Amino acid sequence: MKKENRPKRIAVLGATGSIGTQAIDIIERHPDLYRATVVSGGSRVGELAAVAARLRPRLAVIARRELLGELRRLLEPLGIKCAAGADALAEAASADDVDMVLTATVGYSGLAPTVAAIKAGKDIALANKETLVVAGDLVNSLLLHSPSKIYPVDSEHSAIAQCLAGEDKARVARLIVTASGGPFRTYPKSLIERVTPADALNHPNWSMGAKITVDSATMMNKAFELIEAHHLFGIEPEKITAVVHPQSIVHSMVEFTDGAIKAQLGVPDMRLPIAYALGCHRRLPSAARPLTLTDICSLTFEAPDYDRFPCLNLAKTAMERRGTCACTINAANEVAVAAFLDGRLGFTGIYRTIEATLQRASFVARPAYDDYVACNAESRAIANEFITKN
Ligand code: NDP
Ligand code: MG
């Protein structure tokens, strides 16, 4: 069948997560447009088997190798092939029966399959912002030699892409990335020091995976999104700013050189940007409830507070130093967030861990892929040691 006459074949990486589940909702609503040929998960083998049994992909991949036997027991009777480990995930992302890869795994794990997908010429619906944070320069240099295109899933970047449609990038004065401010937006420093994982997981507007929810609470997520915007849209760091908008209705804005500002508004429902990315920026009827502006009454905007949320400063650090700096920040953050969620580290210890790791980790100015791998491993070890000793 000709490509344009058959459903687009999607590899859903991170199919059991918050983004993955919402993407599958869209895929199931549009069987004429999409088919999942690959699904993957991290460690929740039962959830992965259940989603695979429903969608009947060719292949299911689990990250944790020791769970392959269990996955096979559940899925091979249904004729679904099973594989395990990071290499299998990268291989799956470049398979012949995949037209587009949705990278919705969490953290550093998104990098290898995204790189493999670009090398194989696949389009990418990118939820995993850590890929661009860690190795945006490498990803962009690979894209120069590949037909692949990246369609952002992150709501802010989807909004910016929508504002930029039909515009001349040379006329962009500023990207204005909105931030909800997270659950501690109004907390004084003394209270922020004492917050618990349960407090941090209680996001006011969005229901997301645990890691990104904690990143939203520290505002590390917004720092990552500024870096992500720089790599995605090729706009200079000094033209990319964050503004706190507690209602999460304006998903981001672009200011042009004539002073006009374009914004994209919508209810906070990730299925909107996911659908826009899966459709390569073609609009589909939405599953989300419509936005009724008269129900909202007011939209407010505040300057971010870099003192109470010091992680925000790390975007500038990363974009000034470049090289492996952001890879170190990401690795230390992943380790610190996991320790915070486990009760081994206080909330403000997340920033301290990143700072300490940045001071000690090696720095490579022009990293190749293997340098990122080494930097990630070294930075994680340093961060773990810091947390154990402090
Ligand atoms: P979740 O934690 O809900 O889901 C993560 C997915 O990745 C799960 O399928 C999980 O499997 C899998 N996974 C975990 N560890 C690994 C690993 N080492 N290797 C391969 N797969 C793994 O995360 P979210 O869906 O919230 O976020 C996914 C990505 O999307 C993140 O990069 C996040 O920053 C980004 N994003 C998320 C948004 C949201 O609204 N949730 C908004 C914007 C961006 P298992 O279930 O088995 O653990
Ligand atoms: Mg976002």
Side-chain angles (χ1 to χ4, degrees), residues 136-150:
D137 287 326
L138 174 82
V139 167
N140 277 329
S141 69
L142 291 172
L143 284 171
L144 288 177
H145 308 287
S146 164
S148 305
K149 284 202 169 61
I150 292 188

Side-chain angles (χ1 to χ4, degrees), residues 257-272:
T257 45
D258 62 354
I261 294 182
K262 275 168 91 174
Q264 186 259 323
L265 284 71
V267 290
D269 185 324
M270 283 307 294
R271 288 176 301 178
L272 285 161

Side-chain angles (χ1 to χ4, degrees), residues 13-20 22 40-45 62-63 89 103-107 109 127-130 153-155 206-212 221 225 270:
L13 309 188
T16 53
S18 162
I19 293 288
Q22 294 176 83
S40 89
S43 55
R44 295 185 306 152
V45 67
I62 188 101
L89 197 60
T103 56
T105 67
V106 63
S109 68
N128 180 269
K129 67 192 81 186
E130 293 92 338
V153 166
D154 218 346
S155 56
W206 297 97
S207 165
M208 311 180 282
K211 192 257 181 187
I212 184 175
N221 182 52
E225 291 184 353
M270 283 307 294

Side-chain angles (χ1 to χ4, degrees), residues 27-38:
I27 291 171
E28 289 188 305
R29 281 169 195 265
H30 298 282
D32 50 328
L33 296 178
Y34 305 119
R35 191 169 113 64
T37 46
V38 175

Side-chain angles (χ1 to χ4, degrees), residues 243-310:
V243 65
V244 174
H245 165 53
Q247 297 82 19
S248 298
I249 295 293
V250 176
H251 295 304
S252 277
M253 297 174 261
V254 178
E255 182 182 333
F256 295 91
T257 45
D258 62 354
I261 294 182
K262 275 168 91 174
Q264 186 259 323
L265 284 71
V267 290
D269 185 324
M270 283 307 294
R271 288 176 301 178
L272 285 161
I274 296 169
Y276 193 61
L278 290 180
C280 297
H281 295 178
R282 186 177 139 214
R283 295 192 187 277
L284 290 177
S286 168
R289 69 184 162 81
L291 172 66
T292 310
L293 283 170
T294 44
D295 287 350
I296 303 168
C297 298
S298 66
L299 299 173
T300 59
F301 301 92
E302 305 161 11
D305 186 334
Y306 288 80
D307 182 42
R308 283 183 305 132
F309 299 100

